[in-house]
């Protein structure tokens, strides 16, 4: 959350930045419970609603769009969709992304690996795609975060 606060505080510097949040449903739930969850959700709502004019762009990744706060999801102008099965999620996507023909959204239930649908202002028309094979070796791992010694006062 400190990073988002910093980015918002320095937004007038207008340094274009894409903020990528994987598993976004874990960070901006429709029903935040704890004070930290509420503060984080409010920060994401503010960035989603006003960040673009300052060069702050959100890229949210989730397999459960219904578990994203509606005030964040409704600010999304673009859609990149892979396979999705849940009827409730498809209905929500159809409502939020009314510029995407519903029959294309429904086709996402049959997508195979690497297939997707892209729509919104970043592409001329809703487009079905097929990703090519990887060109890099698959790897990846968790990012190691140094543990700070606890301070006792």
């Amino acid at each position: 959350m400190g990073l988002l606060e910093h980015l918002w505080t320095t937004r007038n510097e207008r340094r274009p930045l894409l903020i990528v949040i994987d598993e976004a449903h874990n960070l901006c739930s429709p029903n935040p419970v704890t004070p930290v969850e509420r503060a984080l959700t409010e920060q994401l709502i503010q960035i989603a609603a006003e960040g673009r004019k300052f060069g702050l762009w959100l890229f949210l990744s989730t397999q459960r769009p219904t578990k994203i706060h509606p005030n964040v999801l409704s600010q999304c102008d673009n859609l990149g969709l892979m396979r999705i099965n849940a009827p409730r999620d498809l209905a929500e996507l159809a409502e939020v992304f009314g510029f995407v023909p519903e029959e294309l959204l429904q086709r996402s239930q049959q997508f195979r690996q690497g297939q997707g649908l892209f729509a919104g202002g970043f592409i001329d028309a809703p487009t079905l795609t097929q990703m090519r094979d990887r060109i890099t070796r698959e790897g990846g791992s968790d990012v190691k975060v140094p543990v700070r010694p606890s301070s006792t006062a």
Side-chain angles (χ1 to χ4, degrees), residues 128-141:
L128 295 171
T129 62
Q130 173 66 56
M131 309 304 163
R132 68 180 187 172
D133 292 337
R134 289 183 68 103
I135 58 172
T136 58
R137 182 176 58 85
E138 186 167 350
S141 64

Side-chain angles (χ1 to χ4, degrees), residues 34-54:
T34 69
V36 171
E37 289 173 344
R38 285 192 294 274
L40 181 55
T41 299
E42 287 302 315
Q43 187 77 72
L44 287 169
I45 289 169
Q46 188 170 35
I47 291 172
E50 303 174 45
R52 292 182 296 270
K53 64 186 168 193
F54 299 105

Side-chain angles (χ1 to χ4, degrees), residues 22-25 61-67 83-86 89:
D22 192 17
E23 303 294 349
H25 57 274
S61 172
T62 184
Q63 294 178 353
R64 299 303 314 267
T66 55
K67 295 189 182 269
R83 183 180 175 131
I84 194 162
N85 290 317
D89 287 326

Side-chain angles (χ1 to χ4, degrees), residues 15-128:
R15 291 176 302 169
L17 184 66
L18 176 64
I19 304 165
V20 178
I21 301 176
D22 192 17
E23 303 294 349
H25 57 274
N26 291 324
L27 297 181
C28 55
S29 158
N31 302 304
V33 177
T34 69
V36 171
E37 289 173 344
R38 285 192 294 274
L40 181 55
T41 299
E42 287 302 315
Q43 187 77 72
L44 287 169
I45 289 169
Q46 188 170 35
I47 291 172
E50 303 174 45
R52 292 182 296 270
K53 64 186 168 193
F54 299 105
L56 297 176
W57 300 85
L58 282 177
F59 182 105
L60 304 176
S61 172
T62 184
Q63 294 178 353
R64 299 303 314 267
T66 55
K67 295 189 182 269
I68 299 277
H69 194 285
N71 291 344
V72 174
L73 193 60
S74 68
Q75 294 296 322
C76 295
D77 295 331
N78 297 297
L79 172 68
L81 179 66
M82 306 301 269
R83 183 180 175 131
I84 194 162
N85 290 317
R88 183 171 171 227
D89 287 326
L90 283 168
E92 173 122 353
L93 289 174
E95 185 176 319
V96 172
F97 297 101
F99 54 86
V100 182
E102 192 166 348
E103 61 273 8
L104 288 180
L105 290 173
Q106 293 298 327
R107 286 180 66 180
S108 70
Q109 294 177 318
Q110 284 78 44
F111 284 172
R112 294 183 315 279
Q113 185 173 4
Q115 292 181 317
L117 167 64
F118 292 91
F122 71 140
I123 194 164
D124 290 335
T127 304
L128 295 171

